[in-house]
Amino acid sequence: MGRSSVRGEGTRPRGRHDGSPGSGGAAAAGGRRSGRGGRPGAAPAGAGTGRTDRPSRRAPKSGKRRVLRWVATVLALLILGTGGAGYLYYKHLNGNIRKEDLTLGDKQMADHKANAAGQTPLNILLIGSDARDSEANQKLGGAKETFGGTPLADVQMLLHLSADRSNISVVSMPRDTMLKMPKCTDPESGKVYAASTVDVQTNESLGRGGPGCTVAAWYELTGITIDHFMMIDFAGVVSMADAIGGVPVCVDANIHSRGSDGKGSGLKLKEGTTSVKGKQALQWLRTRYGFEDNTDLGRTKAQHQYLNSMVRQLRKGTKLTDPGKLMSLAEAATSALTVDKGLDTVKKLYDLAEELKKAPTDRITMTTMPNVYGTGRFSGRVYPKADEAEQVFRMIREDIPLDGKASKRKTPVVTDKAAPDDEIAVSVRNATGTDTQGPAQGRANTVKELLTDAGFTRASVDSQNTEPAARTGLLYPSADLEGDAQAVAKALGIPVAQVKKSTEVSGIVLAVGADWREDGAYPAKAAEEKTPESANPLNGADEKACMHVNPNYTW
């Protein structure tokens, strides 16, 4: 079975040809290609995941089947797990799993906020690598000029499991997204990749030290704390699809993804629903030319349809009743993935599965990062859509369900009691600048006066240059100041979710963001808990979803 490039396994640098035919995507990608750089990395990550001391209610043989089914499901999509703590193939399966560092960036990710029940959300970044580093991957991926070179992170999906385990939200970032890369350090060679000063295509993050840099890029853009990652390559997708036995997908017309110029994945299906597996499943996931407007956005929708359908199949259990198939699926699953060191054993993956399976299928929501197309030389590339992309990211950060259903969120537990208002020192910074506007003049001083009027007489203005922030936030350095920071937030009407612990400050800092450029009270927007339509939400229980075929690719 093919493997992704791994530390010490002879990864070689290579260049890429932008837009070269057949230079497809990652575990679910294809189409235009871009990127140069290093190779993948992975890493340790935290996030407790579930109980492991539940006694089995079945005979040993049943327990073994259940652990295999669990491994298959979790590694297929990470959305489902089934019970059982069997030891079958335990050491062997552990040996199949490849591990890397969680993050290669130089910024420490913020801690999760616990709710009143002591629960915290769980965020997992799913990465599809387009590595051509093995005979199997080369045969499946094509594009001979890329063989043995640096992989690209052509599929990137953030899976968010809510703190109360009632729902799952998935946000895809198109691989053509342009953003600035963070500073990353390769853990093996020690090579430092400086932060980019110009926009770079997001899939190049994998070449800046490994998947840990992809994690760092996501954190830099979204502010979402990421607990784990999982990465899969071409051969992994095929072996998983074969082991599962087929996934139903739908097209609204006959499709053949192959143009006169040779572009396309080769996918050929008749109108209606077809169960795809193996190479055909990979073609579906990589198809760009033939779906919708022939861009990465259509391909992302097709990936969402496939993954939702896979979850429904696995939860029905119809494909996983034969012990031989279960063993095959467990082998394929563990051999297909590279994970962070917080998920480096079957037991840890089992604990994760126990948590993921708590969310019902009809509470799974697939979305795409709201975006806009670039212009000029960046035509065909996409950028995060200013307010709406941040809205989705904020909802994930604040554990707000993307399906619009009522949340069971509770106010975070704060053990630190606030000091009297007039004893709390607050430093106010002006972070109101944006990509198109400079900082709003005098904002830090104006907000400082608001604090003084509210009784926080030790408030002061920090005049140092401040990085722009899309949203106003309160930062505090240690737990003994959390209560004080929340008291400041309450006085100004700032949501408690925007109060965060940070090692980059030595006292309480109020960064006035671009969302508060105007005078007056902090703007409360009641509509902010609604997922933008531009995110194209798709419910996991929707069995009527069908891809629109581009008229130029019908037969």
Side-chain angles (χ1 to χ4, degrees), residues 121 123 160-164 166-171 363 365 390-409 471 495 497-498 525-531:
N123 296 318
H160 171 82
L161 175 64
S162 66
D164 60 18
S166 69
N167 65 90
I168 287 173
S169 299
V170 178
V171 180
R363 295 299 311 278
T365 306
E390 170 56 24
Q391 171 64 11
V392 172
F393 299 151
R394 184 189 69 81
M395 292 177 74
I396 296 294
R397 289 194 303 265
E398 299 179 13
D399 197 26
I400 299 170
L402 293 186
D403 61 8
K405 296 181 180 179
S407 172
K408 300 176 184 177
R409 290 176 297 125
R471 295 184 67 77
Q498 290 164 230
K525 299 178 182 177
E528 283 189 347
E529 293 203 355
K530 182 179 179 181
T531 304

mmCIF file of all heavy atoms in Angstrom, residues 121 123 160-164 166-171 363 365 390-409 471 495 497-498 525-531:
data_model
loop_
_atom_site.group_PDB
_atom_site.id
_atom_site.type_symbol
_atom_site.label_atom_id
_atom_site.label_comp_id
_atom_site.label_asym_id
_atom_site.label_seq_id
_atom_site.Cartn_x
_atom_site.Cartn_y
_atom_site.Cartn_z
ATOM 1 N N PRO A 121 -14.730 21.478 23.377
ATOM 2 C CA PRO A 121 -14.881 21.029 21.991
ATOM 3 C C PRO A 121 -13.624 20.332 21.503
ATOM 4 O O PRO A 121 -12.582 20.348 22.176
ATOM 5 C CB PRO A 121 -15.133 22.336 21.232
ATOM 6 C CG PRO A 121 -14.478 23.387 22.069
ATOM 7 C CD PRO A 121 -14.654 22.936 23.487
ATOM 8 N N ASN A 123 -11.325 19.804 17.851
ATOM 9 C CA ASN A 123 -11.124 20.212 16.458
ATOM 10 C C ASN A 123 -10.043 19.363 15.807
ATOM 11 O O ASN A 123 -8.934 19.252 16.332
ATOM 12 C CB ASN A 123 -10.730 21.687 16.397
ATOM 13 C CG ASN A 123 -11.821 22.605 16.905
ATOM 14 O OD1 ASN A 123 -12.994 22.405 16.601
ATOM 15 N ND2 ASN A 123 -11.452 23.600 17.694
ATOM 16 N N HIS A 160 -15.155 19.935 13.557
ATOM 17 C CA HIS A 160 -15.402 20.458 14.913
ATOM 18 C C HIS A 160 -16.482 19.623 15.597
ATOM 19 O O HIS A 160 -17.615 19.542 15.119
ATOM 20 C CB HIS A 160 -15.859 21.918 14.823
ATOM 21 C CG HIS A 160 -16.332 22.487 16.136
ATOM 22 N ND1 HIS A 160 -15.466 22.983 17.091
ATOM 23 C CD2 HIS A 160 -17.589 22.635 16.653
ATOM 24 C CE1 HIS A 160 -16.162 23.414 18.132
ATOM 25 N NE2 HIS A 160 -17.454 23.210 17.897
ATOM 26 N N LEU A 161 -16.120 18.988 16.700
ATOM 27 C CA LEU A 161 -17.075 18.252 17.536
ATOM 28 C C LEU A 161 -17.415 19.143 18.717
ATOM 29 O O LEU A 161 -16.530 19.572 19.461
ATOM 30 C CB LEU A 161 -16.471 16.932 18.014
ATOM 31 C CG LEU A 161 -17.305 16.103 18.992
ATOM 32 C CD1 LEU A 161 -18.594 15.633 18.335
ATOM 33 C CD2 LEU A 161 -16.500 14.910 19.513
ATOM 34 N N SER A 162 -18.696 19.448 18.885
ATOM 35 C CA SER A 162 -19.103 20.397 19.925
ATOM 36 C C SER A 162 -18.767 19.888 21.321
ATOM 37 O O SER A 162 -18.629 18.689 21.553
ATOM 38 C CB SER A 162 -20.604 20.674 19.822
ATOM 39 O OG SER A 162 -21.346 19.497 20.116
ATOM 40 N N ALA A 163 -18.653 20.821 22.255
ATOM 41 C CA ALA A 163 -18.296 20.465 23.632
ATOM 42 C C ALA A 163 -19.302 19.503 24.237
ATOM 43 O O ALA A 163 -18.936 18.594 24.979
ATOM 44 C CB ALA A 163 -18.184 21.729 24.489
ATOM 45 N N ASP A 164 -20.598 19.690 23.909
ATOM 46 C CA ASP A 164 -21.622 18.805 24.478
ATOM 47 C C ASP A 164 -21.822 17.536 23.653
ATOM 48 O O ASP A 164 -22.676 16.720 23.958
ATOM 49 C CB ASP A 164 -22.954 19.543 24.638
ATOM 50 C CG ASP A 164 -23.514 20.061 23.316
ATOM 51 O OD1 ASP A 164 -23.086 19.578 22.249
ATOM 52 O OD2 ASP A 164 -24.378 20.955 23.348
ATOM 53 N N SER A 166 -23.135 17.115 20.835
ATOM 54 C CA SER A 166 -24.438 17.004 20.178
ATOM 55 C C SER A 166 -24.369 17.207 18.672
ATOM 56 O O SER A 166 -25.306 16.848 17.956
ATOM 57 C CB SER A 166 -25.405 18.041 20.764
ATOM 58 O OG SER A 166 -25.011 19.364 20.400
ATOM 59 N N ASN A 167 -23.279 17.783 18.156
ATOM 60 C CA ASN A 167 -23.217 18.080 16.732
ATOM 61 C C ASN A 167 -21.787 18.157 16.226
ATOM 62 O O ASN A 167 -20.844 18.344 17.009
ATOM 63 C CB ASN A 167 -23.953 19.393 16.436
ATOM 64 C CG ASN A 167 -23.278 20.589 17.089
ATOM 65 O OD1 ASN A 167 -22.413 21.231 16.508
ATOM 66 N ND2 ASN A 167 -23.672 20.909 18.323
ATOM 67 N N ILE A 168 -21.638 18.001 14.921
ATOM 68 C CA ILE A 168 -20.351 18.095 14.249
ATOM 69 C C ILE A 168 -20.472 19.099 13.105
ATOM 70 O O ILE A 168 -21.440 19.072 12.351
ATOM 71 C CB ILE A 168 -19.901 16.728 13.690
ATOM 72 C CG1 ILE A 168 -19.465 15.803 14.826
ATOM 73 C CG2 ILE A 168 -18.765 16.877 12.673
ATOM 74 C CD1 ILE A 168 -19.161 14.377 14.391
ATOM 75 N N SER A 169 -19.510 19.980 12.992
ATOM 76 C CA SER A 169 -19.443 20.935 11.886
ATOM 77 C C SER A 169 -18.126 20.720 11.141
ATOM 78 O O SER A 169 -17.090 20.554 11.767
ATOM 79 C CB SER A 169 -19.505 22.377 12.405
ATOM 80 O OG SER A 169 -20.713 22.629 13.091
ATOM 81 N N VAL A 170 -18.194 20.717 9.815
ATOM 82 C CA VAL A 170 -16.999 20.548 8.997
ATOM 83 C C VAL A 170 -16.877 21.759 8.073
ATOM 84 O O VAL A 170 -17.842 22.136 7.408
ATOM 85 C CB VAL A 170 -17.069 19.260 8.154
ATOM 86 C CG1 VAL A 170 -15.834 19.136 7.259
ATOM 87 C CG2 VAL A 170 -17.173 18.035 9.068
ATOM 88 N N VAL A 171 -15.700 22.382 8.053
ATOM 89 C CA VAL A 171 -15.442 23.529 7.190
ATOM 90 C C VAL A 171 -14.296 23.182 6.250
ATOM 91 O O VAL A 171 -13.193 22.865 6.694
ATOM 92 C CB VAL A 171 -15.068 24.783 8.004
ATOM 93 C CG1 VAL A 171 -14.818 25.965 7.061
ATOM 94 C CG2 VAL A 171 -16.162 25.123 9.009
ATOM 95 N N ARG A 363 -27.079 15.801 12.672
ATOM 96 C CA ARG A 363 -26.454 16.972 13.268
ATOM 97 C C ARG A 363 -25.033 17.175 12.734
ATOM 98 O O ARG A 363 -24.225 17.877 13.340
ATOM 99 C CB ARG A 363 -26.408 16.855 14.797
ATOM 100 C CG ARG A 363 -27.738 16.844 15.507
ATOM 101 C CD ARG A 363 -28.559 18.107 15.295
ATOM 102 N NE ARG A 363 -27.845 19.344 15.515
ATOM 103 C CZ ARG A 363 -27.633 19.906 16.723
ATOM 104 N NH1 ARG A 363 -28.077 19.304 17.817
ATOM 105 N NH2 ARG A 363 -27.018 21.066 16.819
ATOM 106 N N THR A 365 -22.885 18.854 9.784
ATOM 107 C CA THR A 365 -23.048 19.910 8.782
ATOM 108 C C THR A 365 -21.735 20.129 8.046
ATOM 109 O O THR A 365 -20.720 20.444 8.662
ATOM 110 C CB THR A 365 -23.475 21.238 9.431
ATOM 111 O OG1 THR A 365 -24.647 21.024 10.234
ATOM 112 C CG2 THR A 365 -23.764 22.287 8.367
ATOM 113 N N GLU A 390 -15.093 35.000 8.394
ATOM 114 C CA GLU A 390 -14.836 35.206 9.822
ATOM 115 C C GLU A 390 -16.032 34.798 10.663
ATOM 116 O O GLU A 390 -15.879 34.278 11.774
ATOM 117 C CB GLU A 390 -14.476 36.672 10.083
ATOM 118 C CG GLU A 390 -14.413 37.071 11.547
ATOM 119 C CD GLU A 390 -13.461 36.235 12.393
ATOM 120 O OE1 GLU A 390 -12.515 35.645 11.846
ATOM 121 O OE2 GLU A 390 -13.683 36.161 13.622
ATOM 122 N N GLN A 391 -17.243 34.987 10.126
ATOM 123 C CA GLN A 391 -18.435 34.562 10.845
ATOM 124 C C GLN A 391 -18.424 33.051 11.086
ATOM 125 O O GLN A 391 -18.716 32.582 12.187
ATOM 126 C CB GLN A 391 -19.683 34.970 10.049
ATOM 127 C CG GLN A 391 -20.996 34.405 10.558
ATOM 128 C CD GLN A 391 -21.351 34.907 11.946
ATOM 129 O OE1 GLN A 391 -20.720 35.838 12.446
ATOM 130 N NE2 GLN A 391 -22.324 34.295 12.557
ATOM 131 N N VAL A 392 -18.082 32.276 10.066
ATOM 132 C CA VAL A 392 -18.010 30.822 10.227
ATOM 133 C C VAL A 392 -16.906 30.452 11.214
ATOM 134 O O VAL A 392 -17.101 29.611 12.103
ATOM 135 C CB VAL A 392 -17.760 30.147 8.864
ATOM 136 C CG1 VAL A 392 -17.475 28.654 9.041
ATOM 137 C CG2 VAL A 392 -18.963 30.332 7.945
ATOM 138 N N PHE A 393 -15.739 31.075 11.069
ATOM 139 C CA PHE A 393 -14.631 30.777 11.982
ATOM 140 C C PHE A 393 -15.020 31.118 13.429
ATOM 141 O O PHE A 393 -14.692 30.374 14.358
ATOM 142 C CB PHE A 393 -13.382 31.557 11.591
ATOM 143 C CG PHE A 393 -12.864 31.254 10.211
ATOM 144 C CD1 PHE A 393 -12.169 32.215 9.489
ATOM 145 C CD2 PHE A 393 -13.061 30.010 9.638
ATOM 146 C CE1 PHE A 393 -11.678 31.939 8.220
ATOM 147 C CE2 PHE A 393 -12.584 29.720 8.365
ATOM 148 C CZ PHE A 393 -11.891 30.697 7.656
ATOM 149 N N ARG A 394 -15.709 32.246 13.616
ATOM 150 C CA ARG A 394 -16.117 32.650 14.958
ATOM 151 C C ARG A 394 -17.091 31.638 15.558
ATOM 152 O O ARG A 394 -16.998 31.288 16.750
ATOM 153 C CB ARG A 394 -16.760 34.031 14.927
ATOM 154 C CG ARG A 394 -17.130 34.553 16.319
ATOM 155 C CD ARG A 394 -17.953 35.813 16.235
ATOM 156 N NE ARG A 394 -19.281 35.553 15.708
ATOM 157 C CZ ARG A 394 -20.292 35.083 16.429
ATOM 158 N NH1 ARG A 394 -20.122 34.798 17.710
ATOM 159 N NH2 ARG A 394 -21.476 34.873 15.883
ATOM 160 N N MET A 395 -18.022 31.152 14.747
ATOM 161 C CA MET A 395 -18.984 30.175 15.250
ATOM 162 C C MET A 395 -18.274 28.898 15.703
ATOM 163 O O MET A 395 -18.642 28.304 16.718
ATOM 164 C CB MET A 395 -20.029 29.871 14.176
ATOM 165 C CG MET A 395 -20.942 31.061 13.888
ATOM 166 S SD MET A 395 -22.155 30.767 12.566
ATOM 167 C CE MET A 395 -23.320 29.686 13.403
ATOM 168 N N ILE A 396 -17.247 28.491 14.970
ATOM 169 C CA ILE A 396 -16.471 27.317 15.396
ATOM 170 C C ILE A 396 -15.734 27.627 16.696
ATOM 171 O O ILE A 396 -15.742 26.825 17.637
ATOM 172 C CB ILE A 396 -15.464 26.905 14.303
ATOM 173 C CG1 ILE A 396 -16.181 26.459 13.031
ATOM 174 C CG2 ILE A 396 -14.545 25.799 14.815
ATOM 175 C CD1 ILE A 396 -16.993 25.207 13.170
ATOM 176 N N ARG A 397 -15.089 28.803 16.746
ATOM 177 C CA ARG A 397 -14.344 29.165 17.960
ATOM 178 C C ARG A 397 -15.259 29.201 19.180
ATOM 179 O O ARG A 397 -14.863 28.811 20.285
ATOM 180 C CB ARG A 397 -13.677 30.538 17.799
ATOM 181 C CG ARG A 397 -12.515 30.586 16.844
ATOM 182 C CD ARG A 397 -11.714 31.873 17.021
ATOM 183 N NE ARG A 397 -12.513 33.070 16.849
ATOM 184 C CZ ARG A 397 -12.625 33.751 15.722
ATOM 185 N NH1 ARG A 397 -11.981 33.313 14.628
ATOM 186 N NH2 ARG A 397 -13.355 34.844 15.652
ATOM 187 N N GLU A 398 -16.481 29.694 18.989
ATOM 188 C CA GLU A 398 -17.410 29.854 20.100
ATOM 189 C C GLU A 398 -18.347 28.667 20.271
ATOM 190 O O GLU A 398 -19.285 28.714 21.063
ATOM 191 C CB GLU A 398 -18.201 31.155 19.930
ATOM 192 C CG GLU A 398 -17.292 32.382 19.927
ATOM 193 C CD GLU A 398 -18.037 33.688 19.725
ATOM 194 O OE1 GLU A 398 -19.288 33.690 19.834
ATOM 195 O OE2 GLU A 398 -17.382 34.709 19.464
ATOM 196 N N ASP A 399 -18.100 27.591 19.510
ATOM 197 C CA ASP A 399 -18.849 26.340 19.658
ATOM 198 C C ASP A 399 -20.340 26.522 19.377
ATOM 199 O O ASP A 399 -21.200 25.980 20.067
ATOM 200 C CB ASP A 399 -18.635 25.774 21.065
ATOM 201 C CG ASP A 399 -19.024 24.296 21.154
ATOM 202 O OD1 ASP A 399 -18.965 23.614 20.116
ATOM 203 O OD2 ASP A 399 -19.390 23.839 22.253
ATOM 204 N N ILE A 400 -20.633 27.305 18.325
ATOM 205 C CA ILE A 400 -22.015 27.531 17.909
ATOM 206 C C ILE A 400 -22.324 26.586 16.755
ATOM 207 O O ILE A 400 -21.610 26.578 15.750
ATOM 208 C CB ILE A 400 -22.221 28.990 17.461
ATOM 209 C CG1 ILE A 400 -21.914 29.943 18.625
ATOM 210 C CG2 ILE A 400 -23.648 29.206 16.955
ATOM 211 C CD1 ILE A 400 -21.866 31.393 18.226
ATOM 212 N N PRO A 401 -23.378 25.757 16.848
ATOM 213 C CA PRO A 401 -23.680 24.785 15.794
ATOM 214 C C PRO A 401 -23.931 25.454 14.442
ATOM 215 O O PRO A 401 -24.670 26.437 14.356
ATOM 216 C CB PRO A 401 -24.955 24.090 16.302
ATOM 217 C CG PRO A 401 -24.953 24.325 17.774
ATOM 218 C CD PRO A 401 -24.325 25.671 17.968
ATOM 219 N N LEU A 402 -23.323 24.926 13.388
ATOM 220 C CA LEU A 402 -23.519 25.485 12.061
ATOM 221 C C LEU A 402 -24.854 25.068 11.445
ATOM 222 O O LEU A 402 -25.252 25.612 10.418
ATOM 223 C CB LEU A 402 -22.376 25.068 11.124
ATOM 224 C CG LEU A 402 -20.991 25.634 11.453
ATOM 225 C CD1 LEU A 402 -19.998 25.249 10.360
ATOM 226 C CD2 LEU A 402 -21.025 27.145 11.621
ATOM 227 N N ASP A 403 -25.537 24.105 12.066
ATOM 228 C CA ASP A 403 -26.826 23.681 11.503
ATOM 229 C C ASP A 403 -27.984 24.550 11.974
ATOM 230 O O ASP A 403 -29.127 24.331 11.599
ATOM 231 C CB ASP A 403 -27.106 22.204 11.803
ATOM 232 C CG ASP A 403 -27.194 21.886 13.294
ATOM 233 O OD1 ASP A 403 -27.192 22.836 14.101
ATOM 234 O OD2 ASP A 403 -27.260 20.694 13.647
ATOM 235 N N GLY A 404 -27.689 25.542 12.811
ATOM 236 C CA GLY A 404 -28.726 26.480 13.236
ATOM 237 C C GLY A 404 -29.637 25.981 14.327
ATOM 238 O O GLY A 404 -30.534 26.697 14.775
ATOM 239 N N LYS A 405 -29.423 24.761 14.797
ATOM 240 C CA LYS A 405 -30.274 24.217 15.855
ATOM 241 C C LYS A 405 -29.787 24.698 17.212
ATOM 242 O O LYS A 405 -28.645 25.109 17.369
ATOM 243 C CB LYS A 405 -30.286 22.689 15.797
ATOM 244 C CG LYS A 405 -30.894 22.149 14.511
ATOM 245 C CD LYS A 405 -30.922 20.639 14.499
ATOM 246 C CE LYS A 405 -31.526 20.119 13.194
ATOM 247 N NZ LYS A 405 -31.559 18.645 13.135
ATOM 248 N N ALA A 406 -30.663 24.634 18.192
ATOM 249 C CA ALA A 406 -30.345 25.146 19.520
ATOM 250 C C ALA A 406 -29.108 24.461 20.081
ATOM 251 O O ALA A 406 -28.927 23.253 19.953
ATOM 252 C CB ALA A 406 -31.536 24.930 20.454
ATOM 253 N N SER A 407 -28.248 25.248 20.682
ATOM 254 C CA SER A 407 -27.032 24.719 21.291
ATOM 255 C C SER A 407 -27.260 24.474 22.773
ATOM 256 O O SER A 407 -28.058 25.157 23.411
ATOM 257 C CB SER A 407 -25.884 25.713 21.107
ATOM 258 O OG SER A 407 -24.758 25.313 21.850
ATOM 259 N N LYS A 408 -26.547 23.494 23.299
ATOM 260 C CA LYS A 408 -26.613 23.219 24.734
ATOM 261 C C LYS A 408 -25.423 23.850 25.455
ATOM 262 O O LYS A 408 -25.089 23.478 26.562
ATOM 263 C CB LYS A 408 -26.614 21.704 24.973
ATOM 264 C CG LYS A 408 -27.790 20.982 24.335
ATOM 265 C CD LYS A 408 -27.658 19.483 24.542
ATOM 266 C CE LYS A 408 -28.782 18.721 23.834
ATOM 267 N NZ LYS A 408 -28.626 17.254 23.981
ATOM 268 N N ARG A 409 -24.803 24.838 24.796
ATOM 269 C CA ARG A 409 -23.630 25.469 25.385
ATOM 270 C C ARG A 409 -23.964 26.113 26.731
ATOM 271 O O ARG A 409 -25.018 26.691 26.923
ATOM 272 C CB ARG A 409 -23.066 26.543 24.445
ATOM 273 C CG ARG A 409 -22.433 25.996 23.207
ATOM 274 C CD ARG A 409 -21.994 27.117 22.302
ATOM 275 N NE ARG A 409 -23.155 27.888 21.868
ATOM 276 C CZ ARG A 409 -23.289 29.186 22.023
ATOM 277 N NH1 ARG A 409 -22.349 29.876 22.605
ATOM 278 N NH2 ARG A 409 -24.359 29.821 21.590
ATOM 279 N N ARG A 471 -11.643 40.957 15.138
ATOM 280 C CA ARG A 471 -12.600 41.052 16.236
ATOM 281 C C ARG A 471 -11.913 41.558 17.487
ATOM 282 O O ARG A 471 -10.752 41.246 17.767
ATOM 283 C CB ARG A 471 -13.229 39.684 16.528
ATOM 284 C CG ARG A 471 -14.069 39.147 15.385
ATOM 285 C CD ARG A 471 -14.744 37.849 15.766
ATOM 286 N NE ARG A 471 -15.747 38.031 16.803
ATOM 287 C CZ ARG A 471 -16.964 38.536 16.584
ATOM 288 N NH1 ARG A 471 -17.322 38.906 15.388
ATOM 289 N NH2 ARG A 471 -17.825 38.662 17.570
ATOM 290 N N PRO A 495 -18.475 39.604 24.120
ATOM 291 C CA PRO A 495 -18.790 38.188 24.416
ATOM 292 C C PRO A 495 -17.650 37.495 25.160
ATOM 293 O O PRO A 495 -16.476 37.712 24.867
ATOM 294 C CB PRO A 495 -19.002 37.579 23.033
ATOM 295 C CG PRO A 495 -19.425 38.722 22.178
ATOM 296 C CD PRO A 495 -18.647 39.905 22.690
ATOM 297 N N ALA A 497 -16.625 34.594 24.933
ATOM 298 C CA ALA A 497 -15.803 33.739 24.066
ATOM 299 C C ALA A 497 -14.617 34.491 23.482
ATOM 300 O O ALA A 497 -13.676 33.877 22.994
ATOM 301 C CB ALA A 497 -16.654 33.157 22.940
ATOM 302 N N GLN A 498 -14.654 35.829 23.544
ATOM 303 C CA GLN A 498 -13.550 36.631 23.014
ATOM 304 C C GLN A 498 -12.532 36.983 24.087
ATOM 305 O O GLN A 498 -11.636 37.794 23.872
ATOM 306 C CB GLN A 498 -14.113 37.882 22.327
ATOM 307 C CG GLN A 498 -14.840 37.554 21.033
ATOM 308 C CD GLN A 498 -15.734 38.661 20.524
ATOM 309 O OE1 GLN A 498 -16.897 38.442 20.197
ATOM 310 N NE2 GLN A 498 -15.200 39.849 20.434
ATOM 311 N N LYS A 525 -24.410 41.926 17.473
ATOM 312 C CA LYS A 525 -25.141 41.572 16.254
ATOM 313 C C LYS A 525 -25.877 40.254 16.471
ATOM 314 O O LYS A 525 -25.277 39.190 16.461
ATOM 315 C CB LYS A 525 -24.179 41.452 15.074
ATOM 316 C CG LYS A 525 -23.445 42.761 14.777
ATOM 317 C CD LYS A 525 -22.464 42.580 13.638
ATOM 318 C CE LYS A 525 -21.689 43.855 13.367
ATOM 319 N NZ LYS A 525 -20.678 43.682 12.304
ATOM 320 N N ALA A 526 -27.185 40.362 16.682
ATOM 321 C CA ALA A 526 -27.978 39.172 16.990
ATOM 322 C C ALA A 526 -27.928 38.138 15.885
ATOM 323 O O ALA A 526 -28.024 36.939 16.120
ATOM 324 C CB ALA A 526 -29.426 39.581 17.249
ATOM 325 N N ALA A 527 -27.744 38.595 14.632
ATOM 326 C CA ALA A 527 -27.788 37.655 13.506
ATOM 327 C C ALA A 527 -26.491 36.887 13.325
ATOM 328 O O ALA A 527 -26.385 36.047 12.452
ATOM 329 C CB ALA A 527 -28.110 38.413 12.228
ATOM 330 N N GLU A 528 -25.506 37.133 14.155
ATOM 331 C CA GLU A 528 -24.187 36.546 13.940
ATOM 332 C C GLU A 528 -24.134 35.044 14.198
ATOM 333 O O GLU A 528 -23.157 34.404 13.878
ATOM 334 C CB GLU A 528 -23.138 37.252 14.801
ATOM 335 C CG GLU A 528 -22.727 38.597 14.224
ATOM 336 C CD GLU A 528 -21.533 39.193 14.941
ATOM 337 O OE1 GLU A 528 -21.202 38.684 16.030
ATOM 338 O OE2 GLU A 528 -20.949 40.135 14.431
ATOM 339 N N GLU A 529 -25.171 34.465 14.810
ATOM 340 C CA GLU A 529 -25.144 33.041 15.067
ATOM 341 C C GLU A 529 -25.704 32.225 13.918
ATOM 342 O O GLU A 529 -25.843 31.015 14.025
ATOM 343 C CB GLU A 529 -25.891 32.719 16.367
ATOM 344 C CG GLU A 529 -25.185 33.265 17.597
ATOM 345 C CD GLU A 529 -25.567 32.526 18.868
ATOM 346 O OE1 GLU A 529 -26.447 31.653 18.822
ATOM 347 O OE2 GLU A 529 -24.982 32.832 19.897
ATOM 348 N N LYS A 530 -25.983 32.870 12.801
ATOM 349 C CA LYS A 530 -26.495 32.161 11.638
ATOM 350 C C LYS A 530 -25.378 31.893 10.640
ATOM 351 O O LYS A 530 -24.583 32.760 10.322
ATOM 352 C CB LYS A 530 -27.589 32.995 10.961
ATOM 353 C CG LYS A 530 -28.214 32.312 9.750
ATOM 354 C CD LYS A 530 -29.308 33.167 9.141
ATOM 355 C CE LYS A 530 -29.907 32.479 7.916
ATOM 356 N NZ LYS A 530 -30.966 33.304 7.288
ATOM 357 N N THR A 531 -25.321 30.662 10.145
ATOM 358 C CA THR A 531 -24.312 30.305 9.158
ATOM 359 C C THR A 531 -24.624 30.998 7.828
ATOM 360 O O THR A 531 -25.737 30.890 7.327
ATOM 361 C CB THR A 531 -24.285 28.783 8.935
ATOM 362 O OG1 THR A 531 -24.067 28.134 10.185
ATOM 363 C CG2 THR A 531 -23.177 28.397 7.975
#
